Amino acid sequence: MLAQSLVAGGYAVQGHPDPWQAAAPWLPVYGSLIDVGCLLLLAWLVRREGLRLRDLIIGFDPRRLGRDLLEAGGILVLFMVLAVGGMLLASLAVYGTAARPPPFGALPLWAALYSVFVWPLLWGITEEITYMGYALPRLEALSGRAWVAVSIVGFGWAAQHIAQPLGDSQWMLFRFASMLPLVGGLPFVFLRTRRLMPFIIAHWAANAFATATSALFPMLGQ
């Protein structure tokens, strides 16, 4: 909300009639501020445990990068099925139609390129280590039950998307409901593999595809 407010403030200074809505398409750009804030907080938290930030990339082994890429392909398929299925069901429930609102809007070329080539990698790393690298194992250890940890992480992960970007009540409900299948399913898969790198790669690829199809490809076709 704070990051979106900064962009909306810029539009307000310029006299835009709806600065908050005008700021929404810039999520893949101002989202980097969110990532930096999360990474700084995580670095502080894990330092108190005697760990480093890279230790949250559970199971990382450069010698297994080829295998991680193969596993990421399978996770990406599951990622897309759960994400598309969740958006379809949420759109039908909230809007009464399968035609969901576009996730991102028109941006200048430089911002569209940033949204495809920089933001997805930073976002994928930050989300995965925040929820599955940091929160999930600790909640599992504290509760002693995997389903409790997954439920808490899944709810928080889905709720995060309410403000990405923050819009009207229908949009917020759609964003929350559409993410539940994805963020409720992936943690169970992770708990079986205990390897985070394939999830980071799959997350990066899915976000890059989403921003390319919504922010970059329409511009190139003009």
Side-chain angles (χ1 to χ4, degrees), residues 109 112-113 116-117 211-221:
L109 180 58
L113 292 173
V116 174
F117 295 106
T211 52
T213 54
S214 60
L216 183 59
F217 291 168
M219 181 185 304
L220 298 178

Side-chain angles (χ1 to χ4, degrees), residues 101-140:
F104 308 108
L107 291 171
L109 180 58
W110 71 266
L113 292 173
Y114 182 92
S115 301
V116 174
F117 295 106
V118 179
W119 174 75
L121 179 60
L122 185 58
W123 193 267
I125 292 173
T126 304
E127 273 200 315
E128 293 296 331
I129 67 174
T130 297
Y131 288 102
M132 296 213 286
Y134 180 79
L136 186 62
R138 286 156 179 78
L139 288 170
E140 183 186 23

Side-chain angles (χ1 to χ4, degrees), residues 76-87:
L76 179 60
V77 173
L78 177 62
F79 196 109
M80 299 302 289
V81 169
L82 293 176
V84 173
M87 286 187 288

Side-chain angles (χ1 to χ4, degrees), residues 117-217:
F117 295 106
V118 179
W119 174 75
L121 179 60
L122 185 58
W123 193 267
I125 292 173
T126 304
E127 273 200 315
E128 293 296 331
I129 67 174
T130 297
Y131 288 102
M132 296 213 286
Y134 180 79
L136 186 62
R138 286 156 179 78
L139 288 170
E140 183 186 23
L142 288 170
S143 67
R145 294 175 175 82
W147 70 267
V148 172
V150 170
S151 298
I152 297 173
V153 167
F155 181 85
W157 204 345
Q160 164 196 296
H161 290 79
I162 289 175
Q164 295 178 359
L166 190 65
D168 59 37
S169 58
Q170 274 190 306
W171 168 256
M172 291 189 291
L173 179 59
F174 165 76
R175 286 290 282 164
F176 174 75
S178 66
M179 294 304 300
L180 285 175
L182 178 63
V183 299
L186 289 183
F188 280 113
V189 180
F190 169 73
L191 289 175
R192 294 183 63 87
T193 65
R194 303 285 178 172
R195 294 187 55 78
L196 195 58
M197 183 55 70
F199 290 86
I200 291 175
I201 297 171
H203 200 146
W204 159 76
N207 280 351
F209 177 78
T211 52
T213 54
S214 60
L216 183 59
F217 291 168

